[in-house]
């Protein structure tokens, strides 16, 4: 909604937004920060069509939801997620990625909260890669040959998810 070039104005907005999240959005449960990155080979599509960044966020939410359901063995429920899009990395180079503040568990309609156990994040990275590639294919930006090529790469072909830190409710 705005680019805050003035450092003091930017810091003020960051503090205000953090206060707003803590007071009105976040439940008093443990949270984790996840960072979702995409492969260099597909970053160019997001440079020329910034609306894809919103779809990238939706891919992360779908991936987290499915990962939580599989890990916890629950068919229903939702995670609490706040996603921030960042489009630069070190040295201010084009590097679209997502920072997600996620309730460290699953909310059921009954109000119950199930805490996530410690889990390997590789399946989450695979889910994220699959959702992003499907989204790009659906948009006509890549084809099956591209997907086959990228799926043959070792590891997650540049798609990654990192779990940064666990935040307790009283922090």
């Amino acid at each position: 909604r705005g680019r805050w070039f003035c450092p003091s104005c930017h810091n003020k907005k960051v503090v205000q937004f953090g206060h707003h999240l803590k007071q009105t959005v976040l439940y008093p449960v443990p949270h984790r920060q996840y960072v979702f990155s995409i492969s260099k080979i597909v970053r160019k599509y997001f440079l020329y069509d910034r609306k894809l960044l919103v779809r990238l966020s939706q891919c992360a939410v779908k991936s987290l939801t499915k990962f939580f359901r599989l890990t916890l063995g629950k068919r229903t429920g939702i995670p609490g997620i706040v996603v921030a899009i960042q489009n630069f990395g070190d040295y201010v180079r084009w590097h679209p990625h997502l920072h997600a503040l996620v309730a460290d568990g699953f909310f059921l309609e009954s109000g119950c909260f199930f805490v996530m156990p410690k889990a390997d994040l590789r399946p989450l990275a695979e889910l994220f890669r699959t959702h992003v590639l499907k989204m790009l294919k659906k948009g006509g930006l890549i084809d099956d040959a591209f997907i086959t090529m990228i799926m043959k790469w070792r590891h997650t072909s540049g798609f990654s998810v990192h779990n940064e830190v666990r935040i307790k409710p009283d922090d």
Side-chain angles (χ1 to χ4, degrees):
R1 288 224 270 177
R3 298 179 191 269
W4 309 105
F5 293 109
C6 170
S8 62
C9 294
H10 174 75
N11 288 337
K12 179 182 174 185
K13 292 290 183 182
V14 168
V15 169
Q16 286 175 341
F17 184 66
H19 183 71
H20 168 71
L21 283 177
K22 187 173 181 180
Q23 297 299 318
T24 61
V25 177
L26 303 177
Y27 280 83
V29 296
H31 287 75
R32 286 193 187 270
Q33 179 190 8
Y34 291 88
V35 179
F36 292 83
S37 298
I38 59 175
S39 177
K40 287 182 181 181
I41 199 166
V42 297
R43 290 179 190 169
K44 62 185 175 190
Y45 300 116
F46 297 89
L47 178 62
Y48 299 111
D49 185 358
R50 300 296 176 98
K51 292 176 186 173
L52 287 176
L53 292 171
V54 174
R55 292 192 187 123
L56 185 66
S57 297
Q58 293 166 347
C59 289
V61 170
K62 287 179 194 174
S63 301
L64 279 164
T65 303
K66 188 168 188 174
F67 178 69
F68 279 31
R69 285 183 179 157
L70 291 172
T71 303
L72 290 169
K74 302 288 180 197
R75 288 189 201 168
T76 60
I78 56 169
I81 304 172
V82 176
V83 179
I85 301 167
Q86 188 169 347
N87 56 19
F88 60 89
D90 294 340
Y91 309 112
V92 196
R93 291 187 184 146
W94 175 248
H95 174 45
H97 60 283
L98 307 170
H99 292 266
L101 182 60
V102 182
D104 196 22
F106 223 39
F107 294 97
L108 298 182
E109 284 187 30
S110 64
C112 291
F113 181 75
F114 289 89
V115 177
M116 276 289 285
K118 188 171 184 170
D120 182 16
L121 295 181
R122 284 179 286 197
L124 178 57
E126 288 293 332
L127 285 168
F128 181 61
R129 174 173 72 168
T130 301
H131 284 296
V132 172
L133 294 176
K134 280 184 183 177
M135 180 260 301
L136 293 173
K137 181 182 176 190
K138 187 176 179 181
L141 298 169
I142 60 174
D143 57 10
D144 288 329
F146 182 88
I147 293 173
T148 302
M149 175 196 69
I150 205 168
M151 293 301 276
K152 288 182 181 177
W153 292 356
R154 286 184 68 181
H155 309 294
T156 57
S157 59
F159 291 84
S160 65
V161 178
H162 300 284
N163 181 337
E164 295 294 317
V165 66
R166 185 166 191 220
I167 305 159
K168 296 176 186 171
D170 25 43
D171 289 348

